[in-house]
Amino acid sequence: MLNTVAISGVLGYPLELKKDKNGKSYIRSSVSVSRNYKGEDGYYLKDYIGFVAMGQNAEYLAKYAQKGDRIEIKGRMQSYAQTFWEYYEEDCFPKKREKKIYKIEILVEDVEVVSKAEQKNTEDGSTATHRYTEEELKEKLEAYRATKETNPDLVF
């Protein structure tokens, strides 16, 4: 079976590089993707699609991406269950029950920053977006690819 996903969207949240218990870098965040139709209020509806980038992909995102940047993600979908205890009261007695939430997210296999957004305040207090030139993005992409080639034993 084939499990491949490609998404282009905007980072909606600041990224935070974390380390797992084995010392491997990872980032868990989401990408905002607009639907191709407008809602009742006249604005395009958006979906926030979760992703996990690990290892070199996570370090690349932490170094070159920020909130508001457009990125392209290629990877595979994975699902998992998250279990927690819910506390409630029944007949004046505290009780607890196990609750499961099923989540689905993209495990990133390749990522690229497509356009870089730099927030600048304007005179009216709103923010304007500055885009990097094509040459600047190509330089950053080449540096990323060179790093991947020099470390072929890295999985991500």
Side-chain angles (χ1 to χ4, degrees):
M1 297 214 160
L2 183 64
N3 181 1
T4 303
V5 177
I7 290 184
S8 177
V10 176
L11 287 171
Y13 303 100
L15 298 175
E16 184 181 347
L17 184 67
K18 297 181 180 180
K19 303 269 186 188
D20 65 8
K21 61 185 176 187
N22 298 323
K24 189 166 187 170
S25 304
Y26 73 94
I27 289 178
R28 177 171 266 126
S29 190
S30 64
V31 175
S32 169
V33 180
S34 295
R35 296 182 184 178
N36 58 359
Y37 57 90
K38 295 181 181 180
E40 293 176 3
D41 58 0
Y43 293 102
Y44 285 100
L45 299 174
K46 296 182 180 186
D47 292 309
Y48 289 87
I49 300 169
F51 69 87
V52 176
M54 296 171 27
Q56 200 166 6
N57 287 329
E59 291 167 10
Y60 169 77
L61 281 173
K63 189 172 183 180
Y64 296 111
Q66 64 184 9
K67 178 181 175 180
D69 292 351
R70 177 166 293 281
I71 64 170
E72 287 183 355
I73 294 175
K74 294 172 190 153
R76 63 181 175 83
M77 297 297 289
Q78 69 177 13
S79 63
Y80 61 94
Q82 195 171 23
T83 306
F84 64 94
W85 289 98
E86 179 181 57
Y87 295 91
Y88 66 100
E89 198 170 292
E90 185 177 295
D91 298 329
C92 298
F93 294 103
K95 295 189 173 190
K96 68 177 183 177
R97 63 178 161 225
E98 186 178 84
K99 200 151 194 192
K100 279 189 176 182
I101 296 176
Y102 295 92
K103 294 188 175 187
I104 192 164
E105 62 191 4
I106 299 172
L107 181 59
V108 176
E109 294 171 353
D110 193 23
V111 62
E112 289 185 32
V113 178
V114 178
S115 64
K116 190 84 173 135
E118 191 174 294
Q119 299 297 325
K120 293 186 178 180
N121 292 329
T122 61
E123 291 177 14
D124 63 355
S126 63
T127 57
T129 304
H130 166 75
R131 305 262 181 223
Y132 278 106
T133 65
E134 195 70 31
E135 293 82 28
E136 291 172 324
L137 283 174
K138 284 181 182 176
E139 278 179 27
K140 291 182 179 190
L141 182 59
E142 290 303 316
Y144 170 67
R145 287 183 176 151
T147 305
K148 270 183 127 175
E149 288 174 6
T150 57
N151 296 315
D153 55 334
L154 291 177
V155 177
F156 295 103

